[in-house]
Amino acid sequence: MSTSVKTRSGASIPCVSKSEAEAKGYISRALLNQLHLLPGGEPTAYTYIDDETVIFYFDPEKVSEAPPELWYGAKNEQMTLPSGSVIERMSVKRASGYGYYTRERLTAMNCKVIEEPVAYTLKADKTPLFFYDKRTASRLPLTCVRCGKNIRFKKKLCRECYEKDLAERRAEGDAYRAQYFGMERSKVLFFDLELTGFYDRDEIISISIVDGNDKLIMNTLVKPDHTKKWKRTEKIHGITPEMTENCPTLAELTPQIKEIFAGADNLIAYGVSTDYSHIKYIYPEEEREALHAKVRCCANEFVRYAHECHPEIEHASLIDAMSHFGIEWRGVPHSSVADTFACRDVWERIFPHYYKD
Ligand SMILES: [Zn+2]
């Protein structure tokens, strides 16, 4: 038994004796009900009836009249609880109008009842079914969805179940990453595109392709067909319209890109969905599915690895992955060729047995 109780708002209210409460003019719940009043706020004090149950007292200055539709439904039947409190019989509907529910309903709402019943109804067999006030029930911390016992820690699981789940996912992920894929180095291609903007209509202005041998297969700027300037992305990749002036167009490069991609088993990029959504346009619609089947995303794999093995990692950009594995830039940082090499290196760290040799 403690000497103070916390209300839902977190305020501590004092334990008082019945006579103290009366001397201060506090109104008990039972009296409020009899007078068809509703508490205007949280209880101001309480007294214990037994180890687990309390009677709450309310400040008479803060009570309000119950709406007539609530008290017109009264059955004018009462019962006296062992504590001496008199409670009224009411229908389930009227009770819920007051915010009163059965213990079962409140438990389902994740609330723990500490106050004695505030009203009752009679079941078919004439035994009483008690109602409790939701506002004075304490909110229980949410429990683990797996074991149903412990308090939640992460992902709706308790710490124990979370750790177990993480260990299972990690074992599965580790086995996946550690397997021998037997890929041909020359047929695993890493690529990166720079664009004039962030949207679908934006054009490719740079392509870099590197293979699993670390061989630079293509590294070229591309002259866009209709975009004349790209001030916003220029600051990011540093490619100016002048720089692309005498470069091949995408249409001119297409046969070469298609030939390179045709010989590849995998096409890997960091955040591949953006790159894929632009490069796919060099293929007619019916050939895109075959292209997409070869595509792998290095960022997705890093995210999975981080979730399973290093939950402390919060961000998963290419630079985050590089710094996690201690990978250095090769070439001008953030240029598409340096990004491509970095992507290749990150991939090899995630999948150490990706290649045949
Ligand atoms: Zn659990």
Side-chain angles (χ1 to χ4, degrees), residues 143-152 156-162:
T143 51
C144 170
V145 293
R146 188 162 305 173
C147 67
K149 288 185 301 196
N150 305 329
I151 295 166
R152 282 186 199 180
K156 296 186 178 177
L157 299 175
C158 68
R159 184 180 277 270
E160 208 172 292
C161 291
Y162 173 78

Side-chain angles (χ1 to χ4, degrees), residues 38-204:
L38 287 175
E42 294 194 314
T44 30
Y46 71 99
T47 192
Y48 271 107
I49 308 170
D50 57 45
D51 278 6
E52 305 224 311
T53 322
V54 303
I55 293 178
F56 282 118
Y57 293 106
F58 297 87
D59 186 341
E61 306 277 308
K62 291 184 199 156
V63 296
S64 60
E65 213 167 293
E69 64 269 24
L70 290 179
W71 48 271
Y72 279 143
K75 292 189 190 305
N76 287 319
E77 281 177 58
Q78 296 175 332
M79 79 184 273
T80 307
L81 297 173
S83 67
S85 300
V86 177
I87 59 171
E88 206 173 298
R89 180 180 164 191
M90 58 176 73
S91 65
V92 175
K93 194 179 163 207
R94 185 163 160 252
S96 71
Y98 274 109
Y100 301 162
Y101 302 94
T102 61
R103 186 184 290 269
E104 201 183 3
R105 280 270 288 144
L106 285 169
T107 306
M109 289 187 258
N110 216 49
C111 294
K112 185 176 177 252
V113 170
I114 52 166
E115 191 185 12
E116 63 175 355
V118 293
Y120 73 103
T121 187
L122 292 178
K123 292 190 261 186
D125 63 3
K126 299 291 170 201
T127 55
L129 177 64
F130 292 110
F131 298 121
Y132 302 85
D133 189 348
K134 191 184 175 201
R135 281 154 298 201
T136 59
S138 55
R139 234 181 291 246
L140 291 173
L142 295 173
T143 51
C144 170
V145 293
R146 188 162 305 173
C147 67
K149 288 185 301 196
N150 305 329
I151 295 166
R152 282 186 199 180
F153 167 65
K154 251 189 208 177
K155 300 198 166 184
K156 296 186 178 177
L157 299 175
C158 68
R159 184 180 277 270
E160 208 172 292
C161 291
Y162 173 78
E163 302 271 330
K164 212 175 133 213
D165 176 69
L166 180 64
E168 281 166 19
R169 283 188 292 122
R170 178 183 299 170
E172 211 174 281
D174 279 347
Y176 158 64
R177 286 180 289 271
Q179 68 184 297
Y180 174 68
F181 289 85
M183 305 297 288
E184 196 93 54
R185 281 183 182 272
S186 60
K187 292 186 168 184
V188 175
L189 302 182
F190 299 85
F191 74 109
D192 185 51
L193 309 175
E194 299 300 341
L195 306 163
T196 55
F198 310 102
Y199 303 103
D200 212 45
R201 60 166 189 275
D202 283 302
E203 293 186 87
I204 297 171

Side-chain angles (χ1 to χ4, degrees), residues 229-240:
K229 50 187 180 192
W230 45 87
K231 281 272 175 257
R232 286 175 66 197
T233 51
E234 196 180 302
K235 291 191 192 103
I236 302 166
H237 48 55
I239 301 166
T240 63

